[in-house]
Amino acid sequence: MAQIYPMWVDGKELEGEAELIPVEDPTTGEIFAHYLSSCHTASAAVVDRTVHLAHAAFKSGIWSKAPRHQRADVLDQCATLLTSALPDLIALEVRQTGRAIREMRAQVPSLVRWFKYYASLLRVEEQPVLPTAGKLHNFLQRAPLGVVAQITPFNHPLLIAVKKLAPALAAGNSVVVKPSELTPLTTLLLGKILKQAGVPDGVFNVLPGYGGTTGRELVQHPLVRKVDVTGGTTAGRAIGAIVGANLARYTAELGGKAPLIVFESADVQLAVNGIAFGSFVASGQTCIASTRIIVDNKALPGLLEKLKAKTESITRRMGAPTNPESMMGPLISERQLSKVEALVTEAVGSGKAKTVTGGSRMQGKSPLDGTDFSKGYYYPPTILIASDGGDILSTQIWREEAFGPVIVVVGFDTEEEAVRLANDSEFGLGAGIWTQDLAQAFRVSEQIDAGITWVNTHHRNDPSSPWGGAKSSSGVGSENGIEAYQAYTTTKSTIINYASTEQSLATDDWFQDGAGSVRYG
């Protein structure tokens, strides 16, 4: 029997009048769980009540006015308890996302770093004193915003939830999370963990559901003072329009179409390993996946040969996500699989591109472990190149975010051409450069329109390192680092006059008798 997961509101599991929504196992297409959602008729009432409870917790000061060292201690405890819960969280994350367990065993344990980083930041943050003229002491403090809403995607449910949660809680806000309707289960489990760690009731809440109902009601609520979303560009723009009408704060990490440039001086095998990781981890379902591979024509034939071999070795080792030897799992849903198939079909069918390897939905049994690919949403890692005389740059897959394991490989002759191809996109989130020429690495990285550029590596993600786009289609604002913490606060400037009474009487009487000089500012 499929397990039922309730909502998490005001420090407890909430059932009541709610709709049951199924959760599918992408490996088999089977329903293995349901969760209670505030969708349809109950949506507005449940969202409104949850936001008001979060607002009441904020106004009470139990968290928002708690000493920063107390909040830091709680965040550290969140990290400790999260570590203890890792085995169960990893297993559930694998089940709901279809991600290979070897990926989740690497990714999920890293989440504790975000709680620890923002706990440390609270303990060492300095408050500026400004050089205001006169006998004035002007100091700045950061105050929490209030109720903040967070919309998280299906591809990294726990990672992205924690990346947003940690700075929001560190700053003293109350949080309502709306996880993806496809993968909400591990986020729901965070409720009990955070409560046990000491997060007060009402400060952390989870309302799973669909974006058009639960999500809309949440982001348009007048008590929500900030919305932080990770998702597609279309949804990000729609949410931004709603948030703007309320004059609330907004952070959005949206789409990507990351270029990866390989120069002649690069070690070819290192570059191939980097391309495979940057392109095919999470089955290509990441916003910074290196999907446009731009290679010096002098290195292209040798690189393409090695990349084909590497890619086919991944395909041979695909199987059940629970198998530690499986290299890659399925896509998240039939809908996502159909989108990837359509983009590849358009490119190849137009005569502008041809496949080097992959290119069609997987069928039959896995040679690794006998997994029946036809039951799940498996798509092999795929390499596309231009057909003879074909203009692959005019295909949809060169332009659009596929969110699947498909890369386009093109050649270049000059550094200037490589930069032009890299910037030939409406997106500007991540980018990669492979070169052994240090001067070239600096020179090219300065010219690439991306918020994050990796040199001789890919997809490095640290709590201290800002993560955001350089073009509007990739979002606004940043995750990670001091910037994320500050984005969850408002600046409060306090100016204290410490002049003596006599001095103030002599200089601060604006409407004094006579025509003497007066101050301004």
Side-chain angles (χ1 to χ4, degrees):
M1 181 178 177
Q3 185 173 348
I4 297 175
Y5 291 75
M7 296 175 277
W8 182 263
V9 175
D10 197 30
K12 62 183 74 71
E13 293 178 337
L14 177 66
E15 297 182 3
E17 296 181 6
E19 178 186 359
L20 273 179
I21 296 180
V23 180
E24 194 177 41
D25 183 340
T27 308
T28 62
E30 297 174 352
I31 303 302
F32 75 94
H34 293 83
Y35 61 91
L36 293 167
S37 169
S38 60
C39 287
H40 303 307
T41 55
S43 177
V46 174
V47 171
D48 183 64
R49 182 156 68 96
T50 302
V51 172
H52 273 90
L53 287 167
H55 182 67
F58 177 78
K59 297 300 287 185
S60 75
I62 192 171
W63 184 254
S64 59
K65 296 185 184 302
R68 61 174 52 238
H69 288 280
Q70 178 184 330
R71 294 204 303 269
D73 289 344
V74 171
L75 292 180
D76 276 335
Q77 185 66 3
C78 288
T80 299
L81 295 178
L82 187 62
T83 299
S84 300
L86 284 177
D88 291 339
L89 292 173
I90 289 170
L92 187 56
E93 198 82 325
V94 169
R95 188 80 188 274
Q96 68 175 352
T97 65
R99 298 273 298 277
I101 194 167
R102 66 192 302 269
E103 291 183 10
M104 292 295 95
R105 284 175 175 170
Q107 183 187 91
V108 176
S110 72
L111 305 187
V112 299
R113 294 182 298 157
W114 270 264
F115 285 122
K116 290 180 177 180
Y117 172 81
Y118 286 104
S120 298
L121 182 62
L122 283 176
R123 295 188 177 103
V124 302
E125 182 190 20
E126 296 179 351
Q127 296 179 345
V129 176
L130 305 181
T132 310
K135 292 196 173 184
L136 301 171
H137 185 79
N138 186 183
F139 62 94
L140 303 184
Q141 295 171 294
R142 290 202 168 268
L145 299 174
V147 180
V148 299
Q150 299 175 342
I151 312 294
T152 58
F154 70 79
N155 56 335
H156 304 291
L158 268 179
L159 172 65
I160 294 177
V162 170
K163 282 173 68 176
K164 297 180 187 299
L165 268 174
L169 291 175
N173 297 285
S174 292
V175 182
V176 183
V177 180
K178 205 294 287 182
S180 166
E181 66 273 13
L182 300 175
T183 57
L185 304 183
T186 47
T187 307
L188 285 165
L189 294 187
L190 282 179
K192 290 182 179 179
I193 295 172
L194 268 58
K195 180 171 182 173
Q196 186 181 353
V199 175
D201 294 349
V203 172
F204 174 68
N205 309 272
V206 185
L207 290 180
Y210 297 113
T213 49
T214 305
R216 175 176 286 274
E217 292 292 342
L218 179 59
V219 301
Q220 71 184 11
H221 199 287
L223 287 179
V224 169
R225 300 317 308 144
K226 176 181 169 67
V227 173
D228 189 340
V229 59
T230 295
T233 301
T234 300
R237 287 195 171 110
I239 294 170
I242 295 171
V243 175
N246 284 341
L247 298 180
R249 306 280 188 92
Y250 188 47
T251 297
E253 194 261 86
L254 305 177
K257 195 71 182 172
L260 187 153
I261 305 174
V262 181
F263 288 100
E264 184 184 12
S265 67
D267 181 282
V268 172
Q269 191 58 57
L270 278 177
V272 165
N273 294 346
I275 293 167
F277 173 74
S279 306
F280 303 136
V281 69
S283 302
Q285 297 171 120
T286 71
C287 51
I288 47 77
S290 52
T291 54
R292 296 181 300 128
I293 313 303
I294 303 162
V295 185
D296 189 308
N297 278 318
K298 293 185 285 296
L300 183 56
L303 180 138
L304 200 56
E305 180 182 355
K306 290 180 181 294
L307 182 59
K308 179 176 184 291
K310 186 77 170 182
T311 302
E312 289 176 346
S313 78
I314 296 171
T315 304
R316 288 193 300 271
R317 292 177 291 158
M318 288 177 64
T322 52
N323 185 342
E325 296 182 7
S326 178
M327 294 293 104
M328 204 175 88
L331 297 176
I332 188 66
S333 66
E334 181 73 47
R335 178 181 179 183
Q336 190 60 34
L337 175 61
S338 297
K339 177 183 178 182
V340 172
E341 287 183 304
L343 287 170
V344 173
T345 299
E346 184 274 336
V348 175
S350 68
K352 299 174 182 178
K354 61 183 180 182
T355 58
V356 173
T357 185
S360 59
R361 181 175 184 168
M362 299 179 75
Q363 303 288 343
K365 298 291 182 67
S366 162
L368 177 70
D369 57 20
T371 296
D372 188 346
F373 289 137
S374 65
K375 291 183 178 180
Y377 309 122
Y378 285 90
Y379 198 87
T382 297
I383 303 172
L384 299 179
I385 61 173
S387 58
D388 295 337
D391 180 16
I392 201 169
L393 302 184
S394 65
T395 61
Q396 291 180 26
I397 197 135
W398 176 260
R399 300 283 174 191
E400 296 183 19
E401 186 176 37
F403 234 58
V406 182
I407 60 176
V408 176
V409 181
V410 301
F412 69 87
D413 293 314
T414 66
E415 186 178 292
E416 292 73 21
E417 184 184 5
V419 171
R420 179 181 60 78
L421 288 168
N423 290 334
D424 183 30
S425 174
E426 67 174 299
F427 301 106
L429 186 57
I433 300 169
W434 291 81
T435 179
Q436 294 300 314
D437 184 336
L438 184 60
Q440 184 177 61
F442 276 101
R443 189 169 60 244
V444 174
S445 64
E446 286 182 341
Q447 298 177 70
I448 292 180
D449 297 330
I452 316 155
T453 300
W454 294 283
V455 178
N456 296 330
T457 189
H458 204 86
H459 204 163
R460 298 288 184 170
N461 188 5
D462 188 86
S464 65
S465 181
W467 184 284
K471 294 181 180 179
S472 60
S473 290
S474 288
V476 293
S478 263
E479 295 180 333
N480 294 350
I482 296 173
E483 290 90 342
Y485 167 76
Q486 292 178 342
Y488 277 104
T489 68
T490 185
T491 302
K492 182 177 181 180
S493 177
T494 302
I495 303 170
I496 299 175
N497 178 12
Y498 61 89
S500 68
T501 301
E502 293 74 13
Q503 289 173 320
S504 294
L505 286 172
T507 60
D508 265 6
D509 185 359
W510 182 272
F511 295 104
Q512 61 184 296
D513 293 338
S517 61
V518 293
R519 69 164 180 88
Y520 190 82

